[in-house]
Amino acid sequence: MNVDVTELLVEGLDRLTDGAIVPAGLAQQAERNRRIRRVKVRAMTGAGSAMAVAGVALGVVAGVAGPAAAPDSGSSGTIGAVSLDRAQRALASTYDHGLIEEIQVAVHHVSLGRWQSASHETLWQYGDLVRQQGATSSGRLVFDLNSVARTVHGQALISGYGVDYPARTWWHTARPPWEGETSPTPARCPGVALPAPTGSPVNWPARIRAAVSCGLYKVSRTARLHGVKLSVIVPADSPAGAAEPDRVLWVDQATGLPARITWTWLGGRPSGSVTGDFSWLRPTSAHLAAFDVPIPVGFRKVGPGPLPQFGFGSFANLVPLPSPSPSSSLVPGRSATTTPTASPTGSPTRAPRPVPSPSGSPTPIPSSSPTPSPSGPPVPSPSGSPGPAPSGSPAPSPSGG
Amino acid sequence: MPNRLDVADLEQLLAERGEQLMRAAIALTGSRQAGEDLLQAALERVLATPRRAVADTEGYLRRTLYNLAADGWRRRDRWRARVPLLESSASRADDDVAAIDLRDALVRVLIQLPPRQRAVIVLRYWEQLSEAETAELLGCSAGTVKSNASKGMRKLRELVAAWNLDEPYLAKEKS
């Protein structure tokens, strides 16, 4: 019986497999599947590391705000929705430990281009996905913008929505991507502008390393704040003129992520300055959904308008005021830690949260108060120190509309 | 020279030797559709392998194919899910055995064996490899091959016995 069973089994298998042919394109399909799987693995790896990084911090820190909370349907008639596609999300998850960048920007005698009444802005970025809000010193919203990169019929486009609160208008814009780097890039460091234009995915740690290694920036000293070691990064060359700001970047040594960035125009009186405090958020679905811009009921649709461009991603668009200005529209900037800004839903934007640290300890954002440093002089207060009068040479403002 | 095998290399191989590989994949899975999936999964693995690690592309693909099958490839519980169906069929002892194609029944039983036993039996009895050759291809010892073959064949015999088949019928089928 043994022999019979095996022979019958072989006959059965011969019958089963008789006439087998390999479908056309099987190897090509296998190659496509392999590529898709690689992207998925990368995405999972990125998300995993992001969760590991953020999870440690969030285990200690209660409450994560993210971009302004989901719009209140009662107060908004339309949602300016933008989102990342699968490939963009996979790419975004590989940058900056897979975290959403949040920058609270306070300006001091510097115009935010088109919206001069805005003294404070908040910018969130995750890969190509950007949302930017501007508010007055009293917390009243001035503008709300978002954008994402898209490819339509083979053409790359940046599309998004904008709301101008004082004008009670809103728009949808789709335009080719902004090609140029906004920050000066010496020939010895092509493409290493620091920071990079808003809206282009930037791997901050790699970007900072590149800028330092090619000599564009240098580490001037280290500082310690709330127990966290920071490297203070400054341009290797002094500002070329009064129109050039003095730039300082504070970088968390553990994560390589920026904690604060300041630009100060020392040539004027009083000096103009911009200070950005960074927070890093988990890319939860709620946070990603909050990149949508709510369009309030009754606002009028107008033709294409500006999309997120300025802020710390493109300082060339920030305009130092030409003369000492008592203008009520521009009040001395205050640190985001003390100036709540209304979100579109009316709730105040929360104060910056500690920077997640992969080492396990939360890394708080530096405060604006001077802090003694064991390795050097106290960390200066970038946004609050008075200085000479502004130079008076306004920079071009391509986004200013 | 690219670091990995490219698609054109594999398309050429499939054009020349694809039928045999496809037959093996079907024998291991029990259906053409599943066989295509298995062969495609093996191709993916080979495409992801550095070229320098693949001296003999066909041999490597063949080895990958069998090892994927032996390792369960998809869900390990897939074969288990089919056992109740088989048992309910086997319990119909009073069925007219003449109406049943025994060869097909044996193939169905084979597909319900654990993946490694199935792979060993296909290699040993259908591909007619020796125990040593089978062990080398699957990356296990000859003793493991012997053990798996023995267990697999015992189950096949048990299940065949459950159909109340007798020697004369088998002899008749053979003739």
Side-chain angles (χ1 to χ4, degrees):
Chain A
M1 182 173 174
N2 188 19
V3 173
D4 291 334
V5 169
T6 56
E7 288 190 6
L8 284 169
L9 177 65
V10 168
E11 286 176 14
L13 287 174
D14 284 342
R15 281 185 52 177
L16 176 68
T17 62
D18 188 36
I21 54 169
V22 179
L26 196 65
Q28 288 177 346
Q29 183 60 45
E31 173 65 5
R32 279 194 291 273
N33 289 355
R34 188 182 70 84
R35 288 181 177 171
I36 291 169
R37 215 178 299 280
R38 278 178 61 197
V39 170
K40 284 181 178 175
V41 167
R42 284 178 180 170
M44 289 171 66
T45 306
S49 60
M51 288 175 68
V53 170
V56 169
L58 294 173
V60 180
V61 183
V64 172
D72 178 2
S73 58
S75 61
S76 61
T78 309
I79 304 297
V82 292
S83 62
L84 297 177
D85 63 28
R86 188 180 300 174
Q88 286 172 305
R89 188 175 295 208
L91 183 65
S93 68
T94 65
Y95 292 134
D96 297 333
H97 306 294
L99 301 174
I100 295 173
E101 170 191 290
E102 177 188 272
I103 318 178
Q104 301 275 353
V105 182
V107 298
H108 184 149
H109 289 282
V110 172
S111 166
L112 283 172
R114 168 175 176 155
W115 289 283
Q116 299 216 348
S117 60
S119 66
H120 181 96
E121 76 170 51
T122 307
L123 186 139
W124 297 272
Q125 179 162 340
Y126 183 62
D128 291 332
L129 199 57
V130 183
R131 186 177 180 187
Q132 184 179 26
Q133 288 180 328
T136 64
S137 58
S138 62
R140 189 163 42 87
L141 263 182
V142 178
F143 63 88
D144 193 1
L145 315 169
N146 68 5
S147 70
V148 72
R150 283 277 173 266
T151 301
V152 179
H153 303 305
Q155 185 188 1
L157 290 174
I158 303 292
S159 69
Y161 295 83
V163 177
D164 185 329
Y165 277 82
R168 298 178 61 81
T169 57
W170 70 278
W171 57 87
H172 175 257
T173 300
R175 58 164 175 75
W178 191 14
E179 296 289 343
E181 295 274 354
T182 56
S183 303
T185 51
R188 68 176 185 271
C189 298
V192 192
L194 195 65
T198 295
S200 58
V202 174
N203 192 335
W204 271 104
R207 191 93 169 187
I208 292 169
R209 281 197 303 272
V212 172
S213 64
C214 79
L216 183 62
Y217 276 71
K218 64 181 181 184
V219 179
S220 72
R221 59 190 169 86
T222 59
R224 186 181 286 272
L225 194 63
H226 304 309
V228 176
K229 281 187 176 178
L230 302 173
S231 295
V232 182
I233 312 287
V234 298
D237 302 325
S238 300
E244 280 289 307
D246 192 30
R247 310 168 198 187
V248 184
L249 187 63
W250 281 263
V251 180
D252 184 335
Q253 290 185 356
T255 63
L257 294 169
R260 167 172 285 190
I261 186 168
T262 63
W263 282 28
T264 309
W265 287 263
L266 296 172
R269 184 188 310 128
S271 64
S273 68
V274 183
T275 302
D277 286 327
F278 287 73
S279 297
W280 299 92
L281 314 173
R282 273 194 309 172
T284 62
S285 55
H287 285 169
L288 293 173
F291 276 88
D292 297 341
V293 166
I295 298 166
V297 172
F299 278 35
R300 181 171 49 92
K301 186 176 182 184
V302 295
L307 297 178
Q309 285 186 347
F310 45 87
F312 274 87
S314 52
F315 272 129
N317 298 317
L318 295 170
V319 185
L321 293 177
S323 59
S325 172
S327 167
S328 60
S329 65
L330 288 170
V331 299
R334 275 173 269 176
S335 166
T337 55
T338 57
T339 309
T341 304
S343 73
T345 57
S347 59
T349 303
R350 294 165 185 80
R353 284 157 297 286
V355 177
S357 165
S359 61
S361 60
T363 308
I365 293 284
S367 71
S368 19
S369 58
T371 305
S373 166
S375 57
V379 176
S381 173
S383 62
S385 58
S391 66
S393 57
S397 177
S399 71
Chain B
M1 184 178 181
N3 292 330
R4 301 183 190 286
L5 289 168
D6 59 25
V7 176
D9 293 337
L10 291 179
E11 291 284 9
Q12 179 68 25
L13 173 63
L14 291 177
E16 295 171 359
R17 300 285 300 156
E19 183 184 338
Q20 193 58 33
L21 290 163
M22 190 68 205
R23 289 187 70 186
I26 294 172
L28 288 164
T29 58
S31 76
R32 287 168 195 261
Q33 181 63 47
E36 286 178 13
D37 291 349
L38 174 59
L39 181 54
Q40 185 174 297
L43 289 166
E44 280 184 48
R45 293 288 183 95
V46 173
L47 282 166
T49 307
R51 183 188 282 269
R52 63 177 180 277
V54 186
D56 168 19
T57 307
E58 183 188 350
Y60 191 83
L61 179 57
R62 186 180 175 78
R63 182 187 298 267
T64 305
L65 188 78
Y66 273 98
N67 277 285
L68 278 175
D71 291 341
W73 174 46
R74 282 177 169 169
R75 292 190 297 272
R76 286 182 174 273
D77 58 350
R78 172 166 288 203
W79 64 272
R80 294 179 190 278
R82 292 182 181 168
V83 171
L85 296 176
L86 179 78
E87 287 172 350
S88 62
S89 299
S91 65
R92 295 176 301 160
D94 55 347
D95 280 356
D96 182 3
V97 292
I100 298 170
D101 188 328
L102 183 58
R103 292 168 297 190
D104 290 347
L106 276 170
V107 169
R108 286 202 298 273
V109 171
L110 172 73
I111 301 307
Q112 293 169 32
L113 293 177
R116 187 161 291 271
Q117 288 180 19
R118 190 192 324 151
V120 165
I121 287 175
V122 170
L123 282 168
R124 286 281 288 117
Y125 301 107
W126 189 62
E127 299 262 18
Q128 299 188 339
L129 297 188
S130 68
E131 284 179 354
E133 290 168 332
T134 302
E136 186 189 355
L137 194 145
L138 293 179
C140 60
S141 68
T144 302
V145 170
K146 199 169 183 175
S147 165
N148 276 299
S150 171
K151 288 177 185 172
M153 288 307 296
R154 187 167 66 240
K155 286 180 185 173
L156 285 174
R157 285 190 213 104
E158 286 171 1
L159 288 163
V160 168
W163 289 80
N164 288 329
L165 299 176
D166 53 11
E167 289 290 341
Y169 174 77
L170 292 174
K172 184 180 168 186
E173 277 289 309
K174 282 181 67 181
S175 64

